[in-house]
Amino acid sequence: MIVLITGASAGFGAEMARTFVSNGHRVILAARRTDRIADLAAELGDAALPVTLDVTSRPSIEAALAGLPADWKQIDVLINNAGLALNTVPAHEVPLEDWETMIATNCKGLVTMTRLVLPDMVARGSGLVINIGSTAGHYPYPGGNVYGATKAFVEQFTLNLRADLVGTGVRATNLAPGLSGGTEFSNVRFKGDDSAAAKVYEGTTPLSAKDIADTAYWIATLPPHVNVNSIELMPTCQGFSPFTIKRA
């Protein structure tokens, strides 16, 4: 099995790469940070191929796919993992650039990758697209604004892929984690404020990157007639909030 993982330089992506390689599969490590994926490829050996790729740039994706060695071109599993959250301030205060970056990465980048990889899967009659969504796409919270909206887009896009792919042998899954630690997610969201990022996880046992990697691997190794439409995970320390009521 050949697996292409975007955002493979850290967090979920790097751990998913380790999990697939340790189970005998080959992984294309796709990310912008060339040095990080080179280091990961050195760790994983010949079963990993580092490919510099920016999901927000269609020419970058097209060049990366065209440049794959012949024996790496048949992508069996595409994991659209590249994504980010920026800021937690209210919608009327957040910099518009943060919204634009999240939409470009979480939505546009994901659909571009999918559209460019999907035709070969359909032609072969097999393949799997795993889109990394979020519980933020299901449940709103203050400061989630466009991040949550992009993840709701991911879920609906995945379900609509399923509608189009019926009978083709190609599967699609929305994998939606809740509170997850041990990644750069919150450090990126708070733009390098490590103390603010650390507070997100104080007193909790969040999901780990390994939890998400194991889930992705389970999905990818199910019998080919089984499609997991959507799967949502939360740590036991996380639950659902009551409705917000503003009192005078």
Side-chain angles (χ1 to χ4, degrees):
M1 182 189 298
I2 296 177
V3 184
L4 190 158
I5 304 172
T6 66
S9 59
F12 293 167
E15 197 59 38
M16 287 188 286
R18 293 186 180 100
T19 298
F20 278 94
V21 168
S22 68
N23 283 282
H25 304 288
R26 291 193 287 163
V27 176
I28 300 167
L29 308 170
R32 293 176 300 172
R33 293 181 289 187
T34 303
D35 56 336
R36 297 283 288 271
I37 54 174
D39 289 345
L40 183 56
E43 171 193 332
L44 298 178
D46 292 341
L49 177 70
V51 173
T52 303
L53 181 155
D54 179 356
V55 299
T56 66
S57 166
R58 178 175 171 178
S60 172
I61 298 170
E62 290 175 332
L65 294 176
L68 291 174
D71 60 340
W72 285 85
K73 285 187 179 293
Q74 182 176 309
I75 298 165
D76 300 295
V77 180
L78 167 64
I79 303 181
N80 283 311
N81 169 70
L84 77 168
L86 292 173
N87 237 311
T88 57
V89 300
H92 55 287
E93 297 176 7
V94 67
L96 183 57
E97 293 78 11
D98 287 355
W99 283 5
E100 292 170 336
T101 299
M102 287 187 282
I103 292 168
T105 307
N106 302 355
C107 298
K108 184 179 177 182
L110 182 144
V111 301
T112 305
M113 280 297 310
T114 303
R115 179 59 182 82
L116 293 175
V117 172
L118 199 58
D120 284 347
M121 290 182 172
V122 173
R124 292 195 310 269
S126 67
L128 169 64
V129 178
I130 298 178
N131 293 323
I132 303 300
S134 171
T135 55
H138 302 159
Y139 316 109
Y141 59 87
N145 44 68
V146 164
Y147 174 67
T150 63
K151 293 303 185 177
F153 174 92
V154 170
E155 177 174 41
Q156 190 62 24
F157 175 66
T158 306
L159 294 176
N160 278 294
L161 278 180
R162 284 286 302 123
D164 286 344
L165 294 172
V166 170
T168 65
V170 181
R171 300 178 289 166
T173 297
N174 176 45
L175 197 173
L179 183 69
S180 302
T183 73
E184 299 176 342
F185 178 84
S186 289
N187 305 79
V188 171
R189 186 169 211 169
F190 291 104
K191 301 184 178 182
D193 186 340
D194 293 340
S195 62
K199 287 179 182 178
V200 174
Y201 308 103
E202 282 182 358
T204 74
T205 303
L207 299 175
S208 68
K210 186 67 164 61
D211 296 328
I212 306 310
D214 288 344
T215 304
Y217 184 76
W218 172 74
I219 293 166
T221 53
L222 287 169
H225 70 285
V226 178
N227 191 95
V228 178
N229 298 328
S230 183
I231 184 166
E232 178 183 293
L233 297 85
M234 282 185 177
T236 54
C237 64
Q238 187 179 29
F240 304 97
S241 299
F243 287 116
T244 300
I245 300 174
K246 180 69 173 178
R247 303 185 188 279

